[in-house]
Amino acid sequence: MSYVDGFVLAVPTANKDKYRAMAQVGAEVFRELGALQVVECWGDDVPEGKVTSFPMAVQRKPEETVVFAWITWPSRAVRDEGMKKSMDHPRMREFMNNMPFDGQRMIFGGFEVIVEA
């Protein structure tokens, strides 16, 4: 079974093009490092919740949009090595100190796939 990294974050809506450019470079790098698929989704129908929700989870501000993204890897081992290498990759480092969003409010985690249809 494959392995998935999942991400939810809030991006200033005005930074959509900057985020897309960063995500495109990230997708290319992750694919070079073994990822099978990289998907970045710009929130279009993301309701506010009463108890919990994507906007609440990332403390979305009125001028921000929720982004939901994932990377599919062939295995956890490939993911661990790919993520490690990505942190030192020159094309990724150019964004590390100039991210178009608040990385402290990003939610992320790795998931073992248990059903794949």
Side-chain angles (χ1 to χ4, degrees), residues 8-23 40-43 54-55 58-69 99-103 105-106:
V8 180
L9 53 145
V11 177
T13 304
N15 288 351
K16 183 177 184 179
D17 290 339
K18 289 179 185 175
Y19 182 83
R20 181 182 293 149
M22 181 196 76
E40 297 274 354
C41 305
W42 192 258
F54 282 123
V58 295
Q59 300 173 8
R60 185 187 63 82
K61 298 174 183 168
E63 70 281 358
E64 294 177 325
T65 299
V66 173
V67 169
F68 177 57
M99 291 190 293
F101 63 93
D102 179 359
R105 291 185 286 138
M106 177 172 66

PDB file of all heavy atoms in Angstrom, residues 8-23 40-43 54-55 58-69 99-103 105-106:
ATOM      1  N   VAL A   8      -3.267  20.822   5.482  1.00  0.00           N
ATOM      2  CA  VAL A   8      -4.330  21.814   5.452  1.00  0.00           C
ATOM      3  C   VAL A   8      -3.702  23.108   5.953  1.00  0.00           C
ATOM      4  O   VAL A   8      -3.014  23.120   6.985  1.00  0.00           O
ATOM      5  CB  VAL A   8      -5.527  21.422   6.352  1.00  0.00           C
ATOM      6  CG1 VAL A   8      -6.622  22.479   6.283  1.00  0.00           C
ATOM      7  CG2 VAL A   8      -6.082  20.065   5.963  1.00  0.00           C
ATOM      8  N   LEU A   9      -3.917  24.196   5.213  1.00  0.00           N
ATOM      9  CA  LEU A   9      -3.332  25.475   5.593  1.00  0.00           C
ATOM     10  C   LEU A   9      -4.201  26.623   5.130  1.00  0.00           C
ATOM     11  O   LEU A   9      -5.102  26.447   4.315  1.00  0.00           O
ATOM     12  CB  LEU A   9      -1.920  25.620   5.028  1.00  0.00           C
ATOM     13  CG  LEU A   9      -1.742  25.409   3.538  1.00  0.00           C
ATOM     14  CD1 LEU A   9      -0.675  26.351   3.003  1.00  0.00           C
ATOM     15  CD2 LEU A   9      -1.309  23.975   3.281  1.00  0.00           C
ATOM     16  N   ALA A  10      -3.939  27.794   5.677  1.00  0.00           N
ATOM     17  CA  ALA A  10      -4.636  29.013   5.279  1.00  0.00           C
ATOM     18  C   ALA A  10      -3.648  29.890   4.524  1.00  0.00           C
ATOM     19  O   ALA A  10      -2.550  30.151   5.010  1.00  0.00           O
ATOM     20  CB  ALA A  10      -5.167  29.749   6.505  1.00  0.00           C
ATOM     21  N   VAL A  11      -4.044  30.325   3.329  1.00  0.00           N
ATOM     22  CA  VAL A  11      -3.186  31.153   2.481  1.00  0.00           C
ATOM     23  C   VAL A  11      -3.903  32.478   2.235  1.00  0.00           C
ATOM     24  O   VAL A  11      -5.086  32.475   1.877  1.00  0.00           O
ATOM     25  CB  VAL A  11      -2.903  30.451   1.132  1.00  0.00           C
ATOM     26  CG1 VAL A  11      -2.079  31.337   0.219  1.00  0.00           C
ATOM     27  CG2 VAL A  11      -2.205  29.121   1.367  1.00  0.00           C
ATOM     28  N   PRO A  12      -3.206  33.602   2.423  1.00  0.00           N
ATOM     29  CA  PRO A  12      -3.843  34.865   2.055  1.00  0.00           C
ATOM     30  C   PRO A  12      -4.339  34.787   0.609  1.00  0.00           C
ATOM     31  O   PRO A  12      -3.581  34.416  -0.292  1.00  0.00           O
ATOM     32  CB  PRO A  12      -2.722  35.895   2.214  1.00  0.00           C
ATOM     33  CG  PRO A  12      -1.817  35.289   3.258  1.00  0.00           C
ATOM     34  CD  PRO A  12      -1.865  33.809   2.972  1.00  0.00           C
ATOM     35  N   THR A  13      -5.597  35.117   0.408  1.00  0.00           N
ATOM     36  CA  THR A  13      -6.196  35.001  -0.919  1.00  0.00           C
ATOM     37  C   THR A  13      -5.400  35.797  -1.947  1.00  0.00           C
ATOM     38  O   THR A  13      -5.252  35.352  -3.096  1.00  0.00           O
ATOM     39  CB  THR A  13      -7.666  35.455  -0.869  1.00  0.00           C
ATOM     40  OG1 THR A  13      -8.334  34.658   0.126  1.00  0.00           O
ATOM     41  CG2 THR A  13      -8.353  35.267  -2.198  1.00  0.00           C
ATOM     42  N   ALA A  14      -4.839  36.909  -1.552  1.00  0.00           N
ATOM     43  CA  ALA A  14      -4.027  37.732  -2.457  1.00  0.00           C
ATOM     44  C   ALA A  14      -2.744  37.027  -2.894  1.00  0.00           C
ATOM     45  O   ALA A  14      -2.126  37.409  -3.886  1.00  0.00           O
ATOM     46  CB  ALA A  14      -3.685  39.062  -1.796  1.00  0.00           C
ATOM     47  N   ASN A  15      -2.340  35.976  -2.172  1.00  0.00           N
ATOM     48  CA  ASN A  15      -1.106  35.241  -2.488  1.00  0.00           C
ATOM     49  C   ASN A  15      -1.361  33.979  -3.305  1.00  0.00           C
ATOM     50  O   ASN A  15      -0.483  33.111  -3.398  1.00  0.00           O
ATOM     51  CB  ASN A  15      -0.363  34.862  -1.201  1.00  0.00           C
ATOM     52  CG  ASN A  15       0.281  36.044  -0.533  1.00  0.00           C
ATOM     53  OD1 ASN A  15       0.334  37.139  -1.082  1.00  0.00           O
ATOM     54  ND2 ASN A  15       0.771  35.840   0.684  1.00  0.00           N
ATOM     55  N   LYS A  16      -2.535  33.858  -3.896  1.00  0.00           N
ATOM     56  CA  LYS A  16      -2.865  32.630  -4.626  1.00  0.00           C
ATOM     57  C   LYS A  16      -1.832  32.322  -5.710  1.00  0.00           C
ATOM     58  O   LYS A  16      -1.370  31.184  -5.819  1.00  0.00           O
ATOM     59  CB  LYS A  16      -4.257  32.728  -5.251  1.00  0.00           C
ATOM     60  CG  LYS A  16      -4.693  31.460  -5.959  1.00  0.00           C
ATOM     61  CD  LYS A  16      -6.110  31.584  -6.505  1.00  0.00           C
ATOM     62  CE  LYS A  16      -6.577  30.280  -7.139  1.00  0.00           C
ATOM     63  NZ  LYS A  16      -7.967  30.403  -7.642  1.00  0.00           N
ATOM     64  N   ASP A  17      -1.449  33.291  -6.514  1.00  0.00           N
ATOM     65  CA  ASP A  17      -0.484  33.044  -7.586  1.00  0.00           C
ATOM     66  C   ASP A  17       0.889  32.683  -7.031  1.00  0.00           C
ATOM     67  O   ASP A  17       1.562  31.797  -7.560  1.00  0.00           O
ATOM     68  CB  ASP A  17      -0.380  34.249  -8.523  1.00  0.00           C
ATOM     69  CG  ASP A  17      -1.637  34.429  -9.361  1.00  0.00           C
ATOM     70  OD1 ASP A  17      -2.402  33.449  -9.533  1.00  0.00           O
ATOM     71  OD2 ASP A  17      -1.868  35.557  -9.833  1.00  0.00           O
ATOM     72  N   LYS A  18       1.304  33.341  -5.952  1.00  0.00           N
ATOM     73  CA  LYS A  18       2.594  33.010  -5.317  1.00  0.00           C
ATOM     74  C   LYS A  18       2.558  31.594  -4.759  1.00  0.00           C
ATOM     75  O   LYS A  18       3.511  30.841  -4.881  1.00  0.00           O
ATOM     76  CB  LYS A  18       2.920  34.000  -4.199  1.00  0.00           C
ATOM     77  CG  LYS A  18       3.275  35.375  -4.665  1.00  0.00           C
ATOM     78  CD  LYS A  18       3.550  36.280  -3.478  1.00  0.00           C
ATOM     79  CE  LYS A  18       3.786  37.707  -3.935  1.00  0.00           C
ATOM     80  NZ  LYS A  18       3.938  38.617  -2.788  1.00  0.00           N
ATOM     81  N   TYR A  19       1.426  31.244  -4.118  1.00  0.00           N
ATOM     82  CA  TYR A  19       1.299  29.897  -3.573  1.00  0.00           C
ATOM     83  C   TYR A  19       1.321  28.864  -4.694  1.00  0.00           C
ATOM     84  O   TYR A  19       1.997  27.843  -4.588  1.00  0.00           O
ATOM     85  CB  TYR A  19       0.017  29.745  -2.740  1.00  0.00           C
ATOM     86  CG  TYR A  19      -0.075  28.371  -2.144  1.00  0.00           C
ATOM     87  CD1 TYR A  19       0.599  28.081  -0.968  1.00  0.00           C
ATOM     88  CD2 TYR A  19      -0.768  27.347  -2.783  1.00  0.00           C
ATOM     89  CE1 TYR A  19       0.573  26.799  -0.437  1.00  0.00           C
ATOM     90  CE2 TYR A  19      -0.801  26.072  -2.262  1.00  0.00           C
ATOM     91  CZ  TYR A  19      -0.124  25.803  -1.096  1.00  0.00           C
ATOM     92  OH  TYR A  19      -0.131  24.535  -0.572  1.00  0.00           O
ATOM     93  N   ARG A  20       0.592  29.131  -5.769  1.00  0.00           N
ATOM     94  CA  ARG A  20       0.553  28.192  -6.888  1.00  0.00           C
ATOM     95  C   ARG A  20       1.954  27.978  -7.454  1.00  0.00           C
ATOM     96  O   ARG A  20       2.336  26.837  -7.756  1.00  0.00           O
ATOM     97  CB  ARG A  20      -0.388  28.688  -7.982  1.00  0.00           C
ATOM     98  CG  ARG A  20      -0.466  27.696  -9.150  1.00  0.00           C
ATOM     99  CD  ARG A  20      -1.354  28.200 -10.265  1.00  0.00           C
ATOM    100  NE  ARG A  20      -2.728  28.252  -9.799  1.00  0.00           N
ATOM    101  CZ  ARG A  20      -3.625  29.129 -10.236  1.00  0.00           C
ATOM    102  NH1 ARG A  20      -3.323  30.023 -11.134  1.00  0.00           N
ATOM    103  NH2 ARG A  20      -4.848  29.092  -9.776  1.00  0.00           N
ATOM    104  N   ALA A  21       2.733  29.045  -7.603  1.00  0.00           N
ATOM    105  CA  ALA A  21       4.107  28.926  -8.120  1.00  0.00           C
ATOM    106  C   ALA A  21       4.958  28.080  -7.182  1.00  0.00           C
ATOM    107  O   ALA A  21       5.714  27.206  -7.625  1.00  0.00           O
ATOM    108  CB  ALA A  21       4.708  30.311  -8.327  1.00  0.00           C
ATOM    109  N   MET A  22       4.842  28.327  -5.879  1.00  0.00           N
ATOM    110  CA  MET A  22       5.596  27.539  -4.902  1.00  0.00           C
ATOM    111  C   MET A  22       5.160  26.076  -4.942  1.00  0.00           C
ATOM    112  O   MET A  22       5.986  25.163  -4.930  1.00  0.00           O
ATOM    113  CB  MET A  22       5.380  28.100  -3.498  1.00  0.00           C
ATOM    114  CG  MET A  22       6.159  27.358  -2.422  1.00  0.00           C
ATOM    115  SD  MET A  22       5.563  27.698  -0.757  1.00  0.00           S
ATOM    116  CE  MET A  22       4.071  26.714  -0.750  1.00  0.00           C
ATOM    117  N   ALA A  23       3.848  25.846  -5.018  1.00  0.00           N
ATOM    118  CA  ALA A  23       3.323  24.477  -5.048  1.00  0.00           C
ATOM    119  C   ALA A  23       3.775  23.739  -6.302  1.00  0.00           C
ATOM    120  O   ALA A  23       4.063  22.539  -6.250  1.00  0.00           O
ATOM    121  CB  ALA A  23       1.796  24.498  -4.962  1.00  0.00           C
ATOM    122  N   GLU A  40      -2.765  19.819  -5.020  1.00  0.00           N
ATOM    123  CA  GLU A  40      -2.978  21.049  -4.256  1.00  0.00           C
ATOM    124  C   GLU A  40      -4.370  21.568  -4.603  1.00  0.00           C
ATOM    125  O   GLU A  40      -4.689  21.741  -5.783  1.00  0.00           O
ATOM    126  CB  GLU A  40      -1.930  22.105  -4.634  1.00  0.00           C
ATOM    127  CG  GLU A  40      -0.500  21.717  -4.308  1.00  0.00           C
ATOM    128  CD  GLU A  40      -0.094  22.067  -2.892  1.00  0.00           C
ATOM    129  OE1 GLU A  40      -0.866  22.722  -2.164  1.00  0.00           O
ATOM    130  OE2 GLU A  40       1.028  21.681  -2.511  1.00  0.00           O
ATOM    131  N   CYS A  41      -5.196  21.809  -3.615  1.00  0.00           N
ATOM    132  CA  CYS A  41      -6.575  22.228  -3.853  1.00  0.00           C
ATOM    133  C   CYS A  41      -6.871  23.544  -3.138  1.00  0.00           C
ATOM    134  O   CYS A  41      -6.651  23.664  -1.929  1.00  0.00           O
ATOM    135  CB  CYS A  41      -7.542  21.164  -3.325  1.00  0.00           C
ATOM    136  SG  CYS A  41      -7.250  19.515  -3.999  1.00  0.00           S
ATOM    137  N   TRP A  42      -7.374  24.517  -3.902  1.00  0.00           N
ATOM    138  CA  TRP A  42      -7.741  25.844  -3.384  1.00  0.00           C
ATOM    139  C   TRP A  42      -9.193  25.781  -2.929  1.00  0.00           C
ATOM    140  O   TRP A  42     -10.080  25.425  -3.695  1.00  0.00           O
ATOM    141  CB  TRP A  42      -7.551  26.868  -4.492  1.00  0.00           C
ATOM    142  CG  TRP A  42      -7.609  28.290  -4.040  1.00  0.00           C
ATOM    143  CD1 TRP A  42      -8.664  29.135  -4.192  1.00  0.00           C
ATOM    144  CD2 TRP A  42      -6.578  29.036  -3.402  1.00  0.00           C
ATOM    145  NE1 TRP A  42      -8.349  30.363  -3.679  1.00  0.00           N
ATOM    146  CE2 TRP A  42      -7.067  30.327  -3.182  1.00  0.00           C
ATOM    147  CE3 TRP A  42      -5.287  28.724  -2.979  1.00  0.00           C
ATOM    148  CZ2 TRP A  42      -6.320  31.328  -2.568  1.00  0.00           C
ATOM    149  CZ3 TRP A  42      -4.528  29.711  -2.370  1.00  0.00           C
ATOM    150  CH2 TRP A  42      -5.045  30.998  -2.165  1.00  0.00           C
ATOM    151  N   GLY A  43      -9.456  26.143  -1.678  1.00  0.00           N
ATOM    152  CA  GLY A  43     -10.795  26.044  -1.115  1.00  0.00           C
ATOM    153  C   GLY A  43     -11.845  26.808  -1.906  1.00  0.00           C
ATOM    154  O   GLY A  43     -11.649  27.975  -2.243  1.00  0.00           O
ATOM    155  N   PHE A  54     -12.354  22.911   8.753  1.00  0.00           N
ATOM    156  CA  PHE A  54     -11.064  23.282   8.184  1.00  0.00           C
ATOM    157  C   PHE A  54     -10.707  24.732   8.537  1.00  0.00           C
ATOM    158  O   PHE A  54      -9.588  25.000   8.978  1.00  0.00           O
ATOM    159  CB  PHE A  54     -11.044  23.093   6.671  1.00  0.00           C
ATOM    160  CG  PHE A  54     -10.874  21.662   6.222  1.00  0.00           C
ATOM    161  CD1 PHE A  54     -11.815  21.086   5.389  1.00  0.00           C
ATOM    162  CD2 PHE A  54      -9.782  20.906   6.608  1.00  0.00           C
ATOM    163  CE1 PHE A  54     -11.665  19.776   4.951  1.00  0.00           C
ATOM    164  CE2 PHE A  54      -9.618  19.596   6.177  1.00  0.00           C
ATOM    165  CZ  PHE A  54     -10.560  19.035   5.349  1.00  0.00           C
ATOM    166  N   PRO A  55     -11.623  25.704   8.343  1.00  0.00           N
ATOM    167  CA  PRO A  55     -11.263  27.085   8.687  1.00  0.00           C
ATOM    168  C   PRO A  55     -10.870  27.246  10.159  1.00  0.00           C
ATOM    169  O   PRO A  55      -9.915  27.963  10.476  1.00  0.00           O
ATOM    170  CB  PRO A  55     -12.531  27.886   8.364  1.00  0.00           C
ATOM    171  CG  PRO A  55     -13.198  27.097   7.282  1.00  0.00           C
ATOM    172  CD  PRO A  55     -12.935  25.660   7.669  1.00  0.00           C
ATOM    173  N   VAL A  58      -7.248  25.753  11.003  1.00  0.00           N
ATOM    174  CA  VAL A  58      -6.067  26.539  10.581  1.00  0.00           C
ATOM    175  C   VAL A  58      -6.181  28.007  10.989  1.00  0.00           C
ATOM    176  O   VAL A  58      -5.368  28.828  10.579  1.00  0.00           O
ATOM    177  CB  VAL A  58      -5.819  26.429   9.060  1.00  0.00           C
ATOM    178  CG1 VAL A  58      -5.462  25.006   8.682  1.00  0.00           C
ATOM    179  CG2 VAL A  58      -7.010  26.935   8.259  1.00  0.00           C
ATOM    180  N   GLN A  59      -7.185  28.325  11.810  1.00  0.00           N
ATOM    181  CA  GLN A  59      -7.416  29.696  12.265  1.00  0.00           C
ATOM    182  C   GLN A  59      -7.465  30.668  11.093  1.00  0.00           C
ATOM    183  O   GLN A  59      -6.833  31.717  11.080  1.00  0.00           O
ATOM    184  CB  GLN A  59      -6.341  30.104  13.280  1.00  0.00           C
ATOM    185  CG  GLN A  59      -6.315  29.235  14.495  1.00  0.00           C
ATOM    186  CD  GLN A  59      -5.149  29.527  15.415  1.00  0.00           C
ATOM    187  OE1 GLN A  59      -4.417  30.479  15.244  1.00  0.00           O
ATOM    188  NE2 GLN A  59      -4.966  28.673  16.403  1.00  0.00           N
ATOM    189  N   ARG A  60      -8.271  30.289  10.090  1.00  0.00           N
ATOM    190  CA  ARG A  60      -8.384  31.097   8.876  1.00  0.00           C
ATOM    191  C   ARG A  60      -8.923  32.478   9.209  1.00  0.00           C
ATOM    192  O   ARG A  60      -9.877  32.638   9.944  1.00  0.00           O
ATOM    193  CB  ARG A  60      -9.323  30.423   7.874  1.00  0.00           C
ATOM    194  CG  ARG A  60      -9.386  31.168   6.534  1.00  0.00           C
ATOM    195  CD  ARG A  60     -10.441  30.604   5.614  1.00  0.00           C
ATOM    196  NE  ARG A  60     -11.791  30.734   6.135  1.00  0.00           N
ATOM    197  CZ  ARG A  60     -12.538  31.849   6.045  1.00  0.00           C
ATOM    198  NH1 ARG A  60     -12.072  32.914   5.459  1.00  0.00           N
ATOM    199  NH2 ARG A  60     -13.754  31.863   6.545  1.00  0.00           N
ATOM    200  N   LYS A  61      -8.261  33.469   8.621  1.00  0.00           N
ATOM    201  CA  LYS A  61      -8.704  34.857   8.758  1.00  0.00           C
ATOM    202  C   LYS A  61      -9.602  35.196   7.565  1.00  0.00           C
ATOM    203  O   LYS A  61      -9.573  34.496   6.548  1.00  0.00           O
ATOM    204  CB  LYS A  61      -7.489  35.774   8.807  1.00  0.00           C
ATOM    205  CG  LYS A  61      -6.592  35.488  10.008  1.00  0.00           C
ATOM    206  CD  LYS A  61      -5.327  36.296   9.964  1.00  0.00           C
ATOM    207  CE  LYS A  61      -4.436  35.908  11.140  1.00  0.00           C
ATOM    208  NZ  LYS A  61      -3.088  36.433  11.020  1.00  0.00           N
ATOM    209  N   PRO A  62     -10.408  36.247   7.676  1.00  0.00           N
ATOM    210  CA  PRO A  62     -11.347  36.580   6.586  1.00  0.00           C
ATOM    211  C   PRO A  62     -10.686  36.748   5.216  1.00  0.00           C
ATOM    212  O   PRO A  62     -11.310  36.439   4.204  1.00  0.00           O
ATOM    213  CB  PRO A  62     -11.988  37.893   7.049  1.00  0.00           C
ATOM    214  CG  PRO A  62     -11.847  37.873   8.530  1.00  0.00           C
ATOM    215  CD  PRO A  62     -10.564  37.144   8.816  1.00  0.00           C
ATOM    216  N   GLU A  63      -9.461  37.214   5.173  1.00  0.00           N
ATOM    217  CA  GLU A  63      -8.786  37.450   3.892  1.00  0.00           C
ATOM    218  C   GLU A  63      -7.962  36.243   3.430  1.00  0.00           C
ATOM    219  O   GLU A  63      -7.120  36.368   2.549  1.00  0.00           O
ATOM    220  CB  GLU A  63      -7.894  38.702   3.991  1.00  0.00           C
ATOM    221  CG  GLU A  63      -6.659  38.542   4.865  1.00  0.00           C
ATOM    222  CD  GLU A  63      -6.882  38.646   6.384  1.00  0.00           C
ATOM    223  OE1 GLU A  63      -8.021  38.880   6.844  1.00  0.00           O
ATOM    224  OE2 GLU A  63      -5.900  38.471   7.112  1.00  0.00           O
ATOM    225  N   GLU A  64      -8.222  35.078   3.998  1.00  0.00           N
ATOM    226  CA  GLU A  64      -7.479  33.868   3.650  1.00  0.00           C
ATOM    227  C   GLU A  64      -8.392  32.806   3.055  1.00  0.00           C
ATOM    228  O   GLU A  64      -9.605  32.829   3.261  1.00  0.00           O
ATOM    229  CB  GLU A  64      -6.778  33.293   4.885  1.00  0.00           C
ATOM    230  CG  GLU A  64      -5.691  34.196   5.441  1.00  0.00           C
ATOM    231  CD  GLU A  64      -5.056  33.663   6.703  1.00  0.00           C
ATOM    232  OE1 GLU A  64      -5.758  33.037   7.527  1.00  0.00           O
ATOM    233  OE2 GLU A  64      -3.842  33.877   6.877  1.00  0.00           O
ATOM    234  N   THR A  65      -7.772  31.880   2.337  1.00  0.00           N
ATOM    235  CA  THR A  65      -8.466  30.740   1.740  1.00  0.00           C
ATOM    236  C   THR A  65      -7.810  29.463   2.263  1.00  0.00           C
ATOM    237  O   THR A  65      -6.589  29.393   2.401  1.00  0.00           O
ATOM    238  CB  THR A  65      -8.354  30.787   0.199  1.00  0.00           C
ATOM    239  OG1 THR A  65      -8.965  32.001  -0.256  1.00  0.00           O
ATOM    240  CG2 THR A  65      -9.046  29.611  -0.453  1.00  0.00           C
ATOM    241  N   VAL A  66      -8.634  28.448   2.539  1.00  0.00           N
ATOM    242  CA  VAL A  66      -8.116  27.161   2.995  1.00  0.00           C
ATOM    243  C   VAL A  66      -7.585  26.374   1.799  1.00  0.00           C
ATOM    244  O   VAL A  66      -8.230  26.305   0.749  1.00  0.00           O
ATOM    245  CB  VAL A  66      -9.207  26.352   3.724  1.00  0.00           C
ATOM    246  CG1 VAL A  66      -8.714  24.934   4.059  1.00  0.00           C
ATOM    247  CG2 VAL A  66      -9.650  27.063   4.992  1.00  0.00           C
ATOM    248  N   VAL A  67      -6.406  25.781   1.976  1.00  0.00           N
ATOM    249  CA  VAL A  67      -5.808  24.900   0.982  1.00  0.00           C
ATOM    250  C   VAL A  67      -5.730  23.501   1.583  1.00  0.00           C
ATOM    251  O   VAL A  67      -5.354  23.337   2.747  1.00  0.00           O
ATOM    252  CB  VAL A  67      -4.395  25.392   0.573  1.00  0.00           C
ATOM    253  CG1 VAL A  67      -3.662  24.345  -0.252  1.00  0.00           C
ATOM    254  CG2 VAL A  67      -4.488  26.710  -0.181  1.00  0.00           C
ATOM    255  N   PHE A  68      -6.118  22.530   0.789  1.00  0.00           N
ATOM    256  CA  PHE A  68      -6.069  21.114   1.170  1.00  0.00           C
ATOM    257  C   PHE A  68      -5.167  20.432   0.151  1.00  0.00           C
ATOM    258  O   PHE A  68      -5.384  20.572  -1.057  1.00  0.00           O
ATOM    259  CB  PHE A  68      -7.486  20.549   1.132  1.00  0.00           C
ATOM    260  CG  PHE A  68      -7.596  19.086   1.436  1.00  0.00           C
ATOM    261  CD1 PHE A  68      -7.119  18.563   2.620  1.00  0.00           C
ATOM    262  CD2 PHE A  68      -8.208  18.233   0.537  1.00  0.00           C
ATOM    263  CE1 PHE A  68      -7.256  17.204   2.901  1.00  0.00           C
ATOM    264  CE2 PHE A  68      -8.355  16.880   0.808  1.00  0.00           C
ATOM    265  CZ  PHE A  68      -7.871  16.370   1.994  1.00  0.00           C
ATOM    266  N   ALA A  69      -4.144  19.741   0.618  1.00  0.00           N
ATOM    267  CA  ALA A  69      -3.170  19.150  -0.300  1.00  0.00           C
ATOM    268  C   ALA A  69      -2.719  17.791   0.205  1.00  0.00           C
ATOM    269  O   ALA A  69      -2.814  17.498   1.397  1.00  0.00           O
ATOM    270  CB  ALA A  69      -1.964  20.088  -0.445  1.00  0.00           C
ATOM    271  N   MET A  99       7.771  31.947   2.533  1.00  0.00           N
ATOM    272  CA  MET A  99       6.536  31.240   2.205  1.00  0.00           C
ATOM    273  C   MET A  99       5.375  32.227   2.118  1.00  0.00           C
ATOM    274  O   MET A  99       5.289  33.151   2.930  1.00  0.00           O
ATOM    275  CB  MET A  99       6.242  30.164   3.241  1.00  0.00           C
ATOM    276  CG  MET A  99       7.227  29.010   3.204  1.00  0.00           C
ATOM    277  SD  MET A  99       6.717  27.615   4.228  1.00  0.00           S
ATOM    278  CE  MET A  99       6.827  28.282   5.855  1.00  0.00           C
ATOM    279  N   PRO A 100       4.467  32.029   1.157  1.00  0.00           N
ATOM    280  CA  PRO A 100       3.338  32.945   0.998  1.00  0.00           C
ATOM    281  C   PRO A 100       2.164  32.633   1.934  1.00  0.00           C
ATOM    282  O   PRO A 100       1.013  32.921   1.615  1.00  0.00           O
ATOM    283  CB  PRO A 100       2.955  32.762  -0.471  1.00  0.00           C
ATOM    284  CG  PRO A 100       3.343  31.363  -0.781  1.00  0.00           C
ATOM    285  CD  PRO A 100       4.571  31.086   0.049  1.00  0.00           C
ATOM    286  N   PHE A 101       2.458  32.031   3.092  1.00  0.00           N
ATOM    287  CA  PHE A 101       1.432  31.705   4.086  1.00  0.00           C
ATOM    288  C   PHE A 101       2.111  31.545   5.433  1.00  0.00           C
ATOM    289  O   PHE A 101       3.339  31.474   5.517  1.00  0.00           O
ATOM    290  CB  PHE A 101       0.670  30.425   3.705  1.00  0.00           C
ATOM    291  CG  PHE A 101       1.527  29.189   3.667  1.00  0.00           C
ATOM    292  CD1 PHE A 101       1.640  28.370   4.772  1.00  0.00           C
ATOM    293  CD2 PHE A 101       2.224  28.855   2.518  1.00  0.00           C
ATOM    294  CE1 PHE A 101       2.438  27.234   4.741  1.00  0.00           C
ATOM    295  CE2 PHE A 101       3.026  27.716   2.473  1.00  0.00           C
ATOM    296  CZ  PHE A 101       3.132  26.913   3.594  1.00  0.00           C
ATOM    297  N   ASP A 102       1.328  31.482   6.497  1.00  0.00           N
ATOM    298  CA  ASP A 102       1.841  31.308   7.849  1.00  0.00           C
ATOM    299  C   ASP A 102       2.002  29.812   8.133  1.00  0.00           C
ATOM    300  O   ASP A 102       1.023  29.115   8.399  1.00  0.00           O
ATOM    301  CB  ASP A 102       0.880  31.950   8.847  1.00  0.00           C
ATOM    302  CG  ASP A 102       1.324  31.807  10.288  1.00  0.00           C
ATOM    303  OD1 ASP A 102       2.376  31.183  10.564  1.00  0.00           O
ATOM    304  OD2 ASP A 102       0.606  32.323  11.165  1.00  0.00           O
ATOM    305  N   GLY A 103       3.229  29.335   8.062  1.00  0.00           N
ATOM    306  CA  GLY A 103       3.507  27.916   8.246  1.00  0.00           C
ATOM    307  C   GLY A 103       3.193  27.405   9.641  1.00  0.00           C
ATOM    308  O   GLY A 103       3.002  26.197   9.832  1.00  0.00           O
ATOM    309  N   ARG A 105       0.490  27.735  11.182  1.00  0.00           N
ATOM    310  CA  ARG A 105      -0.903  27.293  11.250  1.00  0.00           C
ATOM    311  C   ARG A 105      -1.184  26.145  10.284  1.00  0.00           C
ATOM    312  O   ARG A 105      -2.321  25.725  10.136  1.00  0.00           O
ATOM    313  CB  ARG A 105      -1.845  28.468  10.966  1.00  0.00           C
ATOM    314  CG  ARG A 105      -1.815  29.493  12.083  1.00  0.00           C
ATOM    315  CD  ARG A 105      -2.838  30.598  11.873  1.00  0.00           C
ATOM    316  NE  ARG A 105      -2.384  31.492  10.822  1.00  0.00           N
ATOM    317  CZ  ARG A 105      -3.161  31.985   9.877  1.00  0.00           C
ATOM    318  NH1 ARG A 105      -4.436  31.672   9.803  1.00  0.00           N
ATOM    319  NH2 ARG A 105      -2.675  32.811   8.976  1.00  0.00           N
ATOM    320  N   MET A 106      -0.155  25.614   9.659  1.00  0.00           N
ATOM    321  CA  MET A 106      -0.329  24.486   8.748  1.00  0.00           C
ATOM    322  C   MET A 106      -0.475  23.201   9.555  1.00  0.00           C
ATOM    323  O   MET A 106       0.266  22.963  10.503  1.00  0.00           O
ATOM    324  CB  MET A 106       0.870  24.356   7.799  1.00  0.00           C
ATOM    325  CG  MET A 106       0.763  23.162   6.874  1.00  0.00           C
ATOM    326  SD  MET A 106       2.029  23.103   5.588  1.00  0.00           S
ATOM    327  CE  MET A 106       3.510  22.852   6.540  1.00  0.00           C
TER     328      MET A 106
END
